[in-house]
Amino acid sequence: MCGIAGVVGQGNVVDTLVRSIRTLEYRGYDSCGIAVLQNGALAVKKGVGTVEEVSQAERFSDLDAATGIAHTRWATHGAVSAENAHPFTSCDGRIAVVHNGIIANWTELRARLEAHGHKFRSQTDTEVVPHLIEEQLKLGAADFETAFWQSLNLIDGAYSFAVVTSLEPGRVFVAKHKNPIIIGLGESANYIGSDFNAFIDKTKRAVVFDDDEYGVITKDDFWVKSRLTREVVCKDVTTVQWDAEMAKKGGYPHYMLKEIHEQPHAIRMALGVDARGMAQVVEMLRAAKRIYLVGTGTTYYVALVGQYLFKDHARRFVSAVAADEFTLLAEVDAETVVLAVSQSGETYDTMQAIRCAKAAGAKTAAVVNVMGSSLAREVNVALLQMSGPEISVISTKAALAQMVALYRIAADLARADGTARGDAADVAAAFAALPDLVQQVLNEKSGFLNTLAKHTCGWKDWLFLGRGVYYPIALECALKMKEVAYRHAEGMPAGFLKHGTLSLIDDDICSLIFVPPKRDEALHKMVLANIEQIRAREGHVVGFVYDADESLASLLDERVLLPDVHPSIAPFLELLCGQMFAYFTAVALKRPIDRPRSLAKSVTVP
Ligand code: F6R
């Protein structure tokens, strides 16, 4: 789970490489490195820290070269250390490799290579690759390409690689199996990246690799071949719809805040999701006997919200299953539809769930943000949510937009089934007004939530409680609090509290309650009863509530008052408040907002 970049250009490309891996730091940021071809030989620099720290400490700017590769790491095999940072080189120092993924048979390969005299300097799986290529050359491979191809055939696992060698100046070799790699086509320069962000400031023209493809870029050209047949593959050139500006902070102190503020736009895009794709998904769902929604982390919570949306708007029970448990739990056959949710479209667990479903004959679809991603290419129908790049490791706008896209699917399904709610037109109007309401809450409540967070940031333990659809909203907001503020927050159905967790209520734990509008009478009553249970034990309670709900004034220590809205969209305003509350708590605690410790945005490992 790392970021890979490569360039072949003219003049010095070192700055470009450094910029590229900076944009990929959301994929990992514990160490980084660079390898360039300078005066006919490879020069490698690497170290522990962020790209900014390492590039300065190791003086990357002393390098001057027109061909190179670079890497930013999120450790999987081997501790975070300079030795374990990429790139890795062959014994003769003529081959350098960067890698994203996991080589499953690396211990066998390493033992074999060591028996042939290769010396290893790290504890990583990746280091076998430069030695493997070197060994194939020693064994008589006709040329570097052949040695690279033979090496790929010996590797078992998931990878994207970029390779430079002094044996073939002016070229970067690349390969893909289960992890993403993309070529960017520029003017007198071509680029490699784990995603479009790596080169979006240089070119919008891209070629996306499929599994079992490898290739080469030069300054003016590229080719792609199948690893299976070694024949040239004719690839389409895609035009990326994002631009460099969208991937910048634009005056906000953090990407997380910027992306929270981009939610009105993200919702509008999700409401207008491609009609053709939508019709295909609806047809697929109508023909299905069993429907699963899958995702991981935040997107699993999106799937759980989807479960309630399908029930409320389409009168259908669908199963939300965490992608990492899917293969252990789900019953899948040809009459099953699996609808995956993913921002990056690269998450290993989600991809595995989809691959397993396809293998069992199921139909697959996805709501996904990144065009050309592995998931978008793997499923039968991909609905692109078009939220724009989400750079912060903490997912906000993508998640809210995905929930809105799931509402759209449920509403269209109900219309096709003839089971639409009587007030479906009112609900649609409420969703159409959601972007403006989100904007209003951003404008009016940011200051209050900031002050509240400053008051409450001392609480180390939280219960986040909700009922109905507010339960997965509470789960998602608790995840935000954990990942960005490093505060223990346990999301739970409020009705579950009395079955055990109530014993935790004391002076050391604070409860945040997600209260529905009073118009949602039955749900409102239930939550009220749960708040009473906490108050009876003198627990401290904060609530997200709707205007004019005086029934709660005496029960809550602190309240965030929201404008009275249609119950169908109320949960989304509370999600917004939960995101902002976690953000401001993290700011108050001086956390590194966009890059929390131990996390990476795109989890491409099991
Ligand atoms: C949380 C977060 C993660 C991701 C999860 C799935 O803020 O970002 O929980 O939601 O790793 O990632 P995608 O959506 O890229 O499949």
Side-chain angles (χ1 to χ4, degrees), residues 216-227:
V216 160
I217 58 164
T218 65
K219 175 168 76 67
D220 305 304
D221 207 358
F222 76 95
W223 55 253
V224 179
K225 288 186 183 177
S226 159
R227 181 184 65 82

Side-chain angles (χ1 to χ4, degrees), residues 242-447:
W242 295 351
D243 62 32
E245 226 22 70
M246 287 167 90
K248 288 186 187 153
K249 269 193 215 151
Y252 288 91
H254 304 104
Y255 282 114
M256 182 177 176
L257 188 61
K258 174 179 181 252
E259 288 157 9
I260 286 174
H261 278 261
E262 285 171 346
Q263 293 186 116
H265 176 70
I267 295 167
R268 281 189 194 101
M269 298 309 280
L271 284 171
V273 73
D274 170 48
R276 218 172 118 240
M278 181 64 87
Q280 288 172 326
V281 171
V282 166
E283 266 328 292
M284 202 186 261
L285 295 174
R286 291 196 72 201
K289 285 241 168 78
R290 206 182 291 123
I291 300 169
Y292 290 107
L293 302 178
V294 300
T296 59
T298 286
T299 51
Y300 170 55
Y301 297 146
V302 172
L304 281 176
V305 168
Q307 224 179 2
Y308 288 91
L309 295 174
F310 272 70
K311 185 207 165 266
D312 279 357
H313 300 286
R315 298 184 198 178
R316 294 270 201 137
F317 175 73
V318 300
S319 306
V321 178
D324 43 301
E325 292 294 316
F326 186 81
T327 53
L328 307 171
L329 181 65
E331 273 296 321
V332 184
D333 59 22
E335 292 180 313
T336 304
V337 169
V338 181
L339 173 56
V341 186
S342 174
Q343 190 285 129
S344 63
E346 300 297 345
T347 302
Y348 175 89
D349 292 322
T350 309
M351 286 301 294
Q352 279 304 102
I354 288 295
R355 288 186 181 124
C356 145
K358 279 178 82 171
K363 303 273 183 308
T364 57
V367 175
V368 58
N369 194 30
V370 180
M371 172 185 159
S373 58
S374 304
L375 181 64
R377 298 162 79 80
E378 185 83 33
V379 290
N380 299 114
V381 186
L383 290 177
L384 288 173
Q385 60 186 92
M386 307 292 285
S387 304
E390 191 179 64
I391 309 291
S392 177
V393 165
I394 316 298
S395 184
T396 52
K397 66 171 178 175
L400 179 39
Q402 285 157 350
M403 293 174 193
V404 170
L406 291 181
Y407 151 73
R408 270 283 325 263
I409 297 172
D412 282 20
L413 177 63
R415 206 169 309 129
D417 280 350
T419 56
R421 305 162 39 138
D423 64 348
D426 290 350
V427 173
F431 271 92
L434 183 58
D436 290 339
L437 278 160
V438 166
Q439 191 59 60
Q440 183 187 333
V441 172
L442 282 168
N443 295 344
E444 293 176 2
K445 298 296 162 189
S446 293

Side-chain angles (χ1 to χ4, degrees), residues 449-578:
L449 281 156
N450 192 1
T451 310
L452 177 66
K454 282 183 187 144
H455 285 162
T456 57
C457 68
W459 292 94
K460 291 201 169 129
D461 292 295
W462 288 84
L463 292 175
F464 280 30
L465 304 166
R467 298 196 74 146
V469 66
Y470 295 87
Y471 156 50
I473 295 286
L475 287 173
E476 167 58 5
C477 294
L479 181 61
K480 300 297 92 159
M481 196 72 161
K482 285 182 268 200
E483 49 182 354
V484 71
Y486 308 165
R487 285 302 194 218
H488 169 234
E490 197 173 339
M492 194 181 299
F496 197 80
L497 196 62
K498 59 185 177 295
H499 298 290
T501 316
L502 210 47
S503 66
L504 279 182
I505 300 296
D506 64 12
D507 284 350
D508 293 330
I509 196 158
C510 188
S511 303
L512 173 60
I513 319 280
F514 296 74
V515 185
K518 231 174 160 185
R519 281 204 257 170
D520 213 341
E521 221 174 302
L523 205 61
H524 186 269
K525 246 193 201 150
M526 290 185 209
V527 176
L528 211 71
N530 299 135
I531 300 174
E532 300 272 14
Q533 290 159 1
I534 302 172
R535 291 306 290 186
R537 280 134 191 106
E538 293 179 7
H540 195 90
V541 189
V542 178
F544 292 161
V545 298
Y546 288 87
D547 271 347
D549 190 355
E550 283 314 312
S551 54
L552 287 162
S554 60
L555 284 179
L556 300 172
D557 296 289
E558 323 249 16
R559 290 185 298 168
V560 179
L561 286 174
L562 294 165
D564 226 2
V565 293
H566 193 286
S568 290
I569 57 164
F572 303 103
L573 296 188
E574 299 204 14
L575 170 62
L576 170 67
C577 289

Side-chain angles (χ1 to χ4, degrees), residues 153-217:
N153 291 334
L154 295 170
I155 292 168
D156 181 16
Y159 57 74
S160 51
F161 294 123
V163 183
V164 278
T165 171
S166 55
L167 301 167
E168 300 257 2
R171 293 177 157 218
V172 173
F173 289 78
V174 288
K176 166 178 160 55
H177 185 68
K178 294 189 180 166
N179 282 92
I181 199 93
I182 298 172
I183 294 177
L185 302 174
E187 294 294 320
S188 299
N190 286 322
Y191 307 88
I192 296 295
S194 292
D195 74 27
F196 302 122
N197 290 315
F199 48 73
I200 195 76
D201 59 334
K202 300 286 182 192
T203 179
K204 289 187 172 189
R205 296 175 65 233
V207 173
V208 182
F209 274 70
D210 286 304
D211 277 351
D212 295 313
E213 289 179 345
Y214 71 105
V216 160
I217 58 164

